[in-house]
């Protein structure tokens, strides 16, 4: 029995609306979806949050360039994100826009609380600012006079500003990081953050007067909140803040490596100041290059997830993203690699296994999954497959828990390849002995049924198709993972052969 009170709150960054969705956005969101779907199968009540970051100078400028009001501009781009998530079968429970009243109320309350606790004061800011990164920089941080992160030109800013007393929180942050070894992952990212904090934290400018597209600072509407103060508080908003915090603290913030500092220094410091618990874990994944090059609009090599999923298939694209590169490391996207995975892992291995299994059940058992009979002469490989599937639940759960998606898939493919070898070796079509043949066919059908459950978080539609192909009804969502991955499903289902699961790319 699963415990109905278990909850899991997972987030993606909220994406800027100055740009249309690309592979980087799809990557984090597909990973979060995989985690959310897995936790639901494990009986957790899940809150999976994604959304859009709509304020700030960058968005204001992009809207002006398009001849639109910021809000009109945002409405258009938001729709593109929402449509993409639908296409990619993203199962988010909430979609937060920072322009929503519930969020404005939450960010405002967070500001007021931090101010009341003595951590916000008025001063004057003079420094460099990188608008694409929405980040303040000192003279010494600049690289050849440009932003050290994105390499673009910076602007000199001098204005009255409210400051957050970040300098006060260095020690508390270091203590929290050392007492909670799982707080920042992977390990190398944690070291980066620790070194950054040890260099000394400066107070952070958290308001601006040079533009107006933002949440007004409470009590001083000449200022708008710094877009990161506004944006980070989205995670609280969706949990119910400032009302009843249903789901806070978050179990997992998934982010890209470029926004690590915001999530592991600024955000926890704001929360400490407000007397709120910190998120349990922040995991920063790596970046995709394209054919070995940095992805950029100017190079014209931005990977469009909409077109890619349309051409190659949604599940094929999801599979590639999580299989190709260990989560946490940088990776390279190429059409060759994508096609290689589709033709190899998906068409040759998994698709072929399903179609062979269904054809044999049709041919030798009139399309009905036979029972397992306790035959004396079990083929060794048959025992092997069963054995591997019986030990998998723990390994698989640990791997998904550790966000080692590629390893979880690797382990499944070891079994899938063994099953194909089993078909070759057992050559059931030549088998005379009826009992052995029944066992062979049951092992294949049962193995595939279990594999469909494991694959569901990664490839929901294809998993359901395998499930239905094996004659089962109702799909996989809403089922109990532990129960379904146990060997011993009922025989007797009438299979349904359909078109190839993963057509080969020629
Ligand atoms: N609005 C902020 C996040 C605020 S969260 C409180 C933001 N938005 S963004 O639209 O720029 O989001 C970018 C996300 O996409 C980041 O997690 C970033 O790491 C990711 N990626 C951008 N380019 C990427 C690649 N080339 N590869 C992988 N992820 C990339 O930052």
């Amino acid at each position: 029995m699963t415990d109905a009170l278990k909850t899991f709150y997972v987030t993606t960054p909220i994406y800027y609306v100055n740009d249309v969705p690309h592979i980087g956005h799809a990557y984090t969101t597909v990973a979060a979806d995989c985690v959310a779907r897995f936790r639901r199968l494990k009986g957790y009540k899940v809150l999976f949050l994604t959304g859009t970051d709509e304020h700030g100078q960058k968005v204001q400028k992009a809207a002006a360039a398009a001849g639109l009001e910021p809000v009109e501009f945002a409405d258009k781009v938001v729709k593109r994100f929402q449509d993409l998530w639908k296409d990619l079968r993203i199962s988010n429970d909430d979609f937060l826009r920072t322009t929503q009243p519930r969020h404005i109320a939450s960010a405002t309350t967070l500001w007021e609380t931090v101010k009341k606790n003595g951590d916000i004061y008025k001063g004057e800011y003079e420094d460099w600012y990188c608008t694409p990164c929405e980040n303040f920089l000192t003279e010494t941080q600049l690289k050849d006079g440009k932003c050290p992160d994105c390499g673009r030109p910076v602007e000199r800013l001098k204005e009255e500003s409210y400051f957050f007393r970040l300098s006060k929180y260095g020690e508390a942050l270091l203590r929290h990081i050392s007492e909670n070894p799982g707080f920042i992952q992977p390990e190398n990212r944690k070291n980066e953050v620790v070194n950054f904090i040890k260099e000394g934290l400066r107070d952070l400018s958290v308001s601006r007067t040079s533009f107006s597209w933002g949440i007004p600072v409470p009590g001083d509407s000449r200022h708008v909140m710094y877009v990161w103060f506004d944006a980070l508080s989205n995670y609280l908003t969706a949990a119910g803040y400032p009302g009843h915090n249903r789901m806070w603290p978050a179990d997992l913030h998934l982010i890209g490596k470029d926004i690590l500092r915001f999530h592991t220094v600024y955000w926890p410091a704001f929360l400490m100041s407000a007397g709120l618990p910190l998120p349990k874990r922040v995991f920063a994944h790596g970046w995709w290059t394209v054919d070995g090059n940095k992805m950029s609009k100017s190079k014209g090599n931005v990977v469009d997830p909409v077109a890619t999923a349309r051409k190659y298939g949604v599940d094929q694209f999801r599979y590639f993203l999580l299989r190709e590169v260990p989560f946490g490391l940088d990776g390279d996207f190429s059409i060759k690699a994508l096609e290689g995975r589709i033709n190899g892992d998906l068409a040759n291995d998994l698709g072929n296994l399903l179609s062979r299994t269904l054809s044999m059940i049709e041919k030798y058992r009139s399309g009905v999954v036979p029972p397992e009979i306790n035959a004396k002469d079990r083929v060794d490989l048959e025992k092997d497959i069963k054995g591997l599937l019986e030990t998998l639940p723990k390994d698989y759960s640990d791997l998904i828990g550790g966000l080692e998606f590629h390893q979880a898939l690797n382990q499944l493919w070891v079994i899938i390849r063994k099953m194909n070898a089993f078909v070759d070796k057992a050559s059931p079509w030549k088998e005379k002995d009826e009992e052995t043949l029944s066992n062979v066919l049951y092992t294949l059908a049962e193995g595939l049924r279990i594999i469909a459950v494991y694959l569901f978080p990664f490839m929901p539609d294809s998993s359901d198709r395998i499930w239905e192909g094996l004659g089962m009804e109702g799909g996989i969502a809403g089922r109990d993972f532990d129960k379904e991955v146990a060997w011993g499903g009922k025989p007797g289902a009438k299979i349904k052969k359909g078109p190839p699961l993963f057509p080969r790319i020629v």
Side-chain angles (χ1 to χ4, degrees):
M1 275 296 280
T2 46
D3 175 0
L5 293 174
K6 289 187 298 188
T7 61
F8 198 87
Y9 179 18
V10 55
T11 68
T12 73
I14 46 170
Y15 303 114
Y16 286 129
V17 291
N18 64 308
D19 204 356
V20 296
H22 58 60
I23 187 175
H25 306 116
Y27 189 40
T28 332
T29 312
V30 166
D33 187 59
C34 181
V35 169
R37 286 177 183 271
F38 172 66
R39 293 284 170 173
R40 291 192 198 103
L41 287 179
K42 288 287 280 181
Y44 286 75
K45 177 178 174 338
V46 171
L47 173 56
F48 167 17
L49 172 69
T50 188
T52 41
D53 189 352
E54 302 184 18
H55 293 126
Q57 192 169 15
K58 190 154 83 167
V59 174
Q60 187 167 347
K61 281 187 178 170
L68 293 171
E69 285 302 313
V71 73
E72 289 171 336
F73 179 76
D75 283 347
K76 287 195 169 186
V77 183
V78 164
K79 177 144 186 340
R80 297 192 57 168
F81 276 99
Q82 289 173 331
D83 289 347
L84 173 63
W85 302 152
K86 234 183 261 157
D87 285 353
L88 292 185
R89 306 284 284 113
I90 301 301
S91 63
N92 55 299
D93 302 290
D94 195 354
F95 187 98
L96 184 139
R97 300 183 56 174
T98 53
T99 44
Q100 289 166 339
R102 61 169 174 164
H103 175 69
I104 293 166
S106 152
T108 304
T109 307
L110 184 68
W111 179 288
E112 283 166 344
T113 312
V114 169
K115 178 131 198 283
K116 193 172 81 219
N117 294 342
D119 285 335
I120 286 180
Y121 64 91
K122 202 190 249 184
E124 180 162 89
Y125 183 83
E126 181 169 8
D127 233 328
W128 297 100
Y129 193 74
C130 173
T131 307
C133 295
E134 301 278 16
N135 195 15
F136 296 99
L137 298 157
T138 60
E139 189 76 40
T140 53
Q141 285 174 315
L142 301 184
K143 210 164 125 201
D144 304 327
K146 302 212 167 114
C147 171
D149 296 320
C150 72
R152 282 177 275 205
V154 290
E155 298 171 55
R156 189 77 184 159
L157 288 185
K158 182 173 179 180
E159 55 185 64
E160 180 188 278
S161 174
Y162 286 93
F163 284 83
F164 171 74
R165 285 188 209 282
L166 185 63
S167 56
K168 191 172 131 183
Y169 288 95
E171 275 192 23
L173 286 168
L174 288 174
R175 200 176 325 117
H176 184 84
I177 294 168
S178 99
E179 285 170 3
N180 297 275
F183 176 53
I184 304 173
Q185 292 177 341
E187 197 66 21
N188 59 334
R189 299 289 167 213
K190 181 202 295 188
N191 300 337
E192 257 173 46
V193 173
V194 167
N195 292 337
F196 174 75
I197 299 173
K198 282 187 175 160
E199 277 167 24
L201 297 176
R202 294 190 306 157
D203 287 352
L204 181 70
S205 167
V206 285
S207 78
R208 304 284 300 276
T209 53
S210 54
F211 64 92
S212 56
W213 180 235
I215 301 180
V217 163
D220 192 349
S221 55
R222 285 181 307 117
H223 289 252
V224 292
M225 288 180 198
Y226 172 41
V227 67
W228 275 100
F229 189 96
D230 161 352
L232 287 161
S233 55
N234 93 89
Y235 301 129
L236 279 177
T237 308
Y241 185 81
H244 173 54
N245 279 333
R246 288 172 284 124
M247 297 292 270
W248 194 255
D251 293 274
L252 177 61
H253 289 326
L254 285 178
I255 58 167
K257 63 181 184 179
D258 54 318
I259 53 175
L260 183 67
R261 189 179 302 167
F262 301 100
H263 283 81
T264 56
V265 180
Y266 302 171
W267 179 225
F270 299 157
L271 290 166
M272 282 177 180
S273 169
L276 292 164
L278 306 195
K280 292 185 197 152
R281 184 176 173 205
V282 180
F283 190 104
H285 64 67
W287 268 43
W288 289 93
T289 50
V290 179
D291 298 315
N293 297 309
K294 199 172 168 201
M295 189 171 77
S296 77
K297 265 198 213 158
S298 54
K299 285 204 185 96
N301 64 349
V302 176
V303 179
D304 173 3
V306 178
T308 312
R310 199 160 290 157
K311 177 155 183 210
Y312 291 97
V314 169
D315 280 350
Q316 288 86 333
F317 182 53
R318 290 174 61 116
Y319 174 80
F320 178 84
L321 291 176
L322 297 181
R323 172 62 188 84
E324 186 69 1
V325 179
F327 205 60
L329 300 185
D330 292 338
D332 190 49
F333 179 91
S334 70
I335 291 298
K336 192 162 168 260
L338 174 63
E339 291 185 349
R341 288 277 171 208
I342 294 174
N343 285 342
D345 302 1
L346 297 181
N348 279 359
D349 296 341
L350 179 57
N352 195 24
L353 177 63
L354 180 70
S355 89
R356 293 165 99 186
T357 301
L358 296 184
S359 299
M360 290 187 292
I361 295 176
E362 191 170 70
K363 184 160 174 203
Y364 299 113
R365 291 293 178 270
S366 316
V368 175
V369 178
E372 189 180 32
I373 299 166
N374 211 4
K376 291 187 263 41
D377 301 322
R378 282 191 178 274
V379 187
D380 274 353
L381 268 167
E382 188 185 330
K383 285 190 235 152
D384 228 20
I385 290 162
K386 202 170 156 183
L388 282 171
L389 283 168
E390 276 167 354
T391 54
L392 195 57
K394 164 107 185 43
D395 286 356
Y396 176 92
S397 300
D398 289 349
L399 288 169
I400 303 282
L403 307 177
E404 296 186 69
F405 305 114
H406 75 296
Q407 283 295 7
L409 290 169
N410 235 341
Q411 294 223 14
L412 283 167
W413 255 259
V414 166
I415 303 175
I416 290 167
R417 293 197 180 110
K418 273 211 172 36
M419 286 172 70
N420 271 320
F422 174 54
V423 178
D424 297 338
K425 196 157 171 202
S427 303
W429 49 92
K430 294 186 206 129
E431 204 50 75
K432 299 276 180 289
D433 163 8
E434 288 297 313
E435 286 194 348
T436 309
L437 180 55
S438 283
N439 276 337
V440 166
L441 297 178
Y442 179 84
T443 300
L444 292 172
E446 180 60 359
L448 271 167
R449 183 192 67 79
I450 295 174
I451 284 166
V453 179
Y454 282 117
L455 282 178
F456 181 75
F458 293 90
M459 300 194 284
D461 287 350
S462 307
S463 303
D464 274 344
R465 281 182 58 198
I466 300 177
W467 188 260
E468 281 154 20
L470 291 165
M472 261 130 359
E473 316 242 301
I476 297 168
R479 293 180 186 274
D480 179 327
F481 178 84
D482 295 317
K483 203 170 128 227
E484 296 296 347
V485 298
W487 189 270
K490 269 209 209 102
K494 178 96 179 100
I495 60 148
K496 284 194 202 94
K497 274 192 84 176
L501 195 55
F502 303 110
R504 282 184 65 83
I505 313 285
V506 281

